[in-house]
Amino acid sequence: MYKIANLIWLPIQLSLKQPFKTAQQYTTNRELTLIKLTVVDTISHLTAVGIGEVQSFTDFGYALENQRTSREIITSIITPFIKTIAFHTPIEFADQLANQIPHGSFAKAGVEMAVWDAIGQLTQQSLREMVNGVNLQVPVGIALGVNSSPTEIKQAMVDGYRRIKLKITPEVLRQLKAQHYFEHFPEQKFSLDANGSFAQSPNELLYDLPQNICFIEQPFTSHDFVRHAAFQAKTKQVLSLDESINNLDDIKTLIALQAAQAVTIKQGKIGGITAALRAIKLCHQAGIRPWIGGMLSSNIGRAVDLALASLPEIAFPSDISDSQRYFEQDVSETSFTQENGFIAVPNQPGIGIKLYQEIDDRLAF
């Protein structure tokens, strides 16, 4: 039996090496909230400190929960509640949290992540082992912003990334099709991420795409399951939903409407590791291909994504770039390097992250 002894959070900002542009946002600094909590084994009286991160964004451009909202939910709702409960597993913890607090997916995910980390340390299991992952290294892709240069794309190919995701708008896709761009690289796998930017644009741009495009991610707005379903029924092109998926009910809606043939799983957005595991299982059983998406996370979130990407049901290379890809400096001494399009999954107990001492000092209880 486990209990939570204490919890604190720390706001941080990570500077991007270069701005990252999507159809919705222009990001130069990534704001995150780090979570630190202590889990007590009430039988052995051993304790472990777990680390997590809250991956909501600064504004409301991507989801209706931002960093400020997440912190308020953690302070005023989650922290008082979790100090009153006992649980046997991280999944039981997540279920109690979800039953008590139906909202605040990002906030719950960050706290639950720290619980998985602490219990992994107490039981001497890596997160990969805890979630029944099978692969010791996983294939990864890279996400490039809107209007990425040909040089950046060619460098990603040289680096060996197994899939290159291009952020697009209707105008960008029109230009790429006019240039027959993808046909120039027939052996390279691409995906296209529209971030809902085709809401007012003709659908014909999305037809007649070459076979080396694995899928199109979120062409229409987040609430428009019906339009996605209608388009998926008319095209051989695989659609993958992202912004539409914020909880397990959205997964069930996707399955019921057959709104896409693939789905982007982001544990930080869907409510946590437990919710992500259930979403992956539901989709796989329904014949929908799940894969792990990225959230411009630090190495903490990257380690979690690697563990989830090690599951046998994952259908496409995940959006998990090399640790050196985005930030001037990350939060941890632990880092992840891709080699020929693969990254090794952490095998240390828990999440397997060692923070820089300066960050650890700032998280002192």
Side-chain angles (χ1 to χ4, degrees), residues 46-201:
L46 295 175
T47 65
V49 174
I51 301 297
E53 72 174 8
V54 179
Q55 298 175 356
S56 49
F57 286 93
T58 305
D59 57 24
F60 296 104
Y62 180 72
L64 294 179
E65 180 184 343
N66 69 357
Q67 281 286 318
R68 190 172 182 178
T69 308
S70 298
R71 293 165 190 162
E72 179 58 32
I73 291 170
I74 291 169
T75 300
S76 62
I77 303 176
I78 293 179
T79 300
F81 172 70
I82 64 176
K83 289 183 178 180
T84 68
I85 64 174
F87 50 94
H88 293 91
T89 66
I91 291 176
E92 186 179 328
F93 171 85
D95 286 342
Q96 291 191 53
L97 191 58
N99 289 337
Q100 180 71 17
I101 306 167
H103 49 274
S105 293
F106 286 97
K108 289 186 293 187
V111 174
E112 185 202 349
M113 187 188 298
V115 171
W116 280 89
D117 185 30
I119 293 179
Q121 295 174 53
L122 287 169
T123 59
Q124 288 296 294
Q125 296 180 88
S126 70
L127 183 59
R128 179 188 63 81
E129 294 170 318
M130 296 171 79
V131 301
N132 297 315
V134 297
N135 298 307
L136 300 182
Q137 58 177 1
V138 297
V140 295
I142 187 172
L144 300 178
V146 170
N147 296 328
S148 295
S149 69
T151 300
E152 289 178 272
I153 296 171
K154 289 177 181 177
Q155 184 59 54
M157 295 172 64
V158 170
D159 291 340
Y161 281 103
R162 299 287 156 163
R163 177 179 53 83
I164 297 175
K165 176 161 82 173
L166 300 181
K167 297 285 187 176
I168 62 166
T169 64
E171 182 56 36
V172 168
L173 182 56
R174 185 176 288 110
Q175 293 171 0
L176 292 173
K177 290 186 71 172
Q179 297 165 4
H180 301 283
Y181 192 88
F182 302 106
E183 288 89 333
H184 295 315
F185 311 105
E187 302 303 317
Q188 177 64 54
K189 296 296 184 183
F190 290 92
S191 64
L192 306 178
D193 188 358
N195 292 114
S197 60
F198 281 76
Q200 306 298 327
S201 302

Side-chain angles (χ1 to χ4, degrees), residues 17 161 299 302 321-330 332-338 356:
K17 292 181 176 179
Y161 281 103
N299 282 330
R302 189 172 284 110
S321 294
D322 192 294
S323 292
Q324 301 303 313
R325 159 73 180 146
Y326 288 117
F327 303 121
E328 294 289 351
Q329 181 171 304
D330 212 294
S332 70
E333 295 180 12
T334 312
S335 63
F336 303 102
T337 302
Q338 75 87 18
Y356 283 123

